C-alpha cells in the first residue's frame, strides 16, 4: 500500500490581515500486487464414482462463478487438476490453467473460451 501525504501553508500578502490556512490531503493507493490463488482439484476416477458423474459435472460452473467474484476478477489464478494416477492433467501443453493479471495490469490466459468450459474439459477424466 502506498500512502501519499501532502500539506501546504498559504500565507497571504502583507497588505492583508495575517491569515494562514492549510490543506492536508491523504490518498491511499491499493497494493501493487494482485491476490494469488492456486487451486488443486482432485477428481476420483474410480468405478465407484461413476454414479456421481452428473454431480461432478456441475462443479466447473460453480467454481468458475466463485472465482469470478474472488477479488472482483483481479487475481493471479492457477488451477491444476489431478486424478488417482497423481499426474496433472494438461491443457494445451500446460500443467495448469492460468488466468492472471500481471503487475502492468495486462491479463494473461493460456486458454480460449469460458473459464467453466476449460475447467470442465480438464476435469473430464472419464467414467
Amino acid at each position: 500500500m502506498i500512502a501519499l501525504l501532502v500539506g501546504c501553508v498559504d500565507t497571504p500578502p502583507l497588505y492583508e490581515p495575517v491569515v494562514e490556512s492549510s490543506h492536508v490531503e491523504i490518498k491511499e493507493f491499493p497494493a501493487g500486487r494482485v491476490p494469488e490463488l492456486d487451486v488443486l482439484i482432485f477428481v476420483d476416477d474410480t468405478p465407484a464414482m461413476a454414479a456421481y458423474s452428473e454431480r461432478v459435472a456441475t462443479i466447473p460452473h460453480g467454481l468458475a462463478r466463485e472465482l469470478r467474484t474472488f477479488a472482483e476478477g483481479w487475481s493471479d489464478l492457477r488451477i491444476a487438476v489431478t486424478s488417482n494416477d497423481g499426474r496433472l492433467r494438461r491443457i494445451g501443453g500446460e500443467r495448469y490453467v492460468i488466468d492472471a493479471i500481471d503487475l502492468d495490469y495486462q491479463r494473461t490466459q493460456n486458454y480460449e473460451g469460458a473459464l467453466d468450459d476449460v475447467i470442465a474439459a480438464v476435469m473430464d477424466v472419464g467414467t
Side-chain angles (χ1 to χ4, degrees), residues 48-102:
M49 290 300 294
Y52 302 99
S53 62
E54 289 180 18
R55 287 186 190 175
V56 172
T58 64
I59 293 172
H61 178 69
L63 178 61
R65 183 182 64 245
E66 292 300 318
L67 291 174
R68 280 191 293 271
T69 61
F70 173 74
E72 298 175 353
W74 289 81
S75 63
D76 183 357
L77 172 66
R78 285 171 175 60
I79 303 172
V81 178
T82 188
S83 59
N84 291 352
D85 61 7
R87 291 184 289 167
L88 294 178
R89 304 195 39 91
R90 295 189 179 267
I91 172 174
E94 297 286 334
R95 291 185 179 175
Y96 41 82
V97 175
I98 299 172
D99 190 350
I101 301 290
D102 299 325

